[in-house]
Amino acid sequence: EDKVVQSPLSLVVHEGDTVTLNCSYEVTNFRSLLWYKQEKKAPTFLFMLTSSGIEKKSGRLSSILDKKELSSILNITATQTGDSAIYLCAVLGGATNKLIFGTGTLLAVQP
Amino acid sequence: GAGVSQTPSNKVTEKGKYVELRCDPISGHTALYWYRQSLGQGPEFLIYFQGTGAADDSGLPNDRFFAVRPEGSVSTLKIQRTERGDSAVYLCASSLIGTGNTIYFGEGSWLTVV
């Protein structure tokens, strides 16, 4: 069965800290891995990763995919209270191009 | 439209009633997805359309759930004989067809069955 696992499930840090969120997957016919940030209801897109070893960067956020280890990390440097959210990892794959989500990591950044 | 639009944003219904949730995808997006998200969980796949046809409906939990997309644009998720366990946020997403295309989500419809 295809699955995506995220860790940790939750994390509390102070402003200015650096955090690393993990995502591992077992999905047939892997096509891409996506990271989303969810603050209220709609997940908002952060990154799409298809190639191993190439870092994607946007401001203080960055992410990289390791296809050999079937995993990805999302790094956030100099965290701010506005980074508090659920971070969702999803893998596009399977025979029908389905997006399979992990349970998410709940990040709380304290002032 | 500019983004994925879902209506209603909130719906409270009594157990046993029928509900319809609507999704209007980004203009030109041929792929449309429905997900359900319960508190503390990641989104759970329900059904995926390519154009008018359901490419994968393996996530629909039972025959009370049905979705249509008759003209390949707007989709409606229909839930018959609602149960309290159906309470969740129902998320719709759309994308262009193809591996490199980002999937964009709507704001969701929060369904509460009382």
Side-chain angles (χ1 to χ4, degrees):
Chain A
E1 183 185 343
D2 294 331
K3 63 180 178 180
V4 177
V5 178
Q6 292 185 246
S7 64
L9 290 180
S10 63
L11 189 57
V12 181
V13 300
H14 289 98
E15 272 193 316
D17 288 350
T18 293
V19 298
T20 298
L21 309 183
N22 301 286
C23 176
S24 63
Y25 60 91
E26 292 177 28
V27 176
T28 57
N29 297 318
F30 173 92
R31 291 176 171 81
S32 57
L33 184 145
L34 295 86
W35 284 97
Y36 288 86
K37 178 182 181 182
Q38 187 175 31
E39 293 176 89
K40 294 181 180 176
K41 283 194 283 189
T44 54
F45 172 77
L46 294 175
F47 299 110
M48 175 185 284
L49 305 159
T50 54
S51 300
S52 212
I54 298 173
E55 186 183 53
K56 292 269 182 102
K57 197 169 171 64
S58 176
R60 296 177 294 102
L61 277 67
S62 63
S63 184
I64 197 162
L65 174 66
D66 186 338
K67 284 173 135 177
K68 187 177 174 186
E69 296 296 327
L70 306 182
S71 65
S72 173
I73 59 171
L74 175 68
N75 280 317
I76 309 175
T77 58
T79 51
Q80 302 171 357
T81 55
D83 295 328
S84 297
I86 297 171
Y87 289 84
L88 294 166
C89 173
V91 173
L92 194 64
T96 57
N97 208 39
K98 188 163 61 182
L99 194 62
I100 302 156
F101 281 88
T103 53
T105 293
L106 175 61
L107 175 65
V109 181
Q110 295 181 339
Chain B
V4 179
S5 176
Q6 291 189 246
T7 54
S9 55
N10 290 283
K11 174 75 176 177
V12 180
T13 192
E14 292 180 347
K15 180 174 177 290
K17 298 289 189 184
Y18 169 81
V19 298
E20 287 190 352
L21 307 176
R22 175 189 166 106
C23 174
D24 199 342
I26 292 171
S27 180
H29 280 192
T30 47
L32 185 147
Y33 307 80
W34 282 101
Y35 288 83
R36 176 170 71 174
Q37 187 174 23
S38 302
L39 204 60
Q41 301 292 318
E44 172 196 12
F45 171 80
L46 295 177
I47 187 169
Y48 159 51
F49 287 91
Q50 283 188 15
T52 59
D56 186 340
D57 64 358
S58 62
L60 294 176
N62 51 58
D63 62 5
R64 296 187 297 106
F65 288 76
F66 190 70
V68 296
R69 196 185 184 199
E71 297 177 359
S73 179
V74 171
S75 176
T76 305
L77 179 66
K78 307 180 181 194
I79 310 174
Q80 297 178 318
R81 304 182 303 280
T82 50
E83 299 177 358
R84 293 196 178 88
D86 299 334
S87 297
V89 175
Y90 289 81
L91 294 165
C92 178
S94 72
S95 75
L96 296 169
I97 296 288
T99 299
N101 294 299
T102 303
I103 298 170
Y104 295 96
F105 282 83
E107 290 290 316
S109 292
W110 187 283
L111 175 67
T112 303
V113 182
V114 298

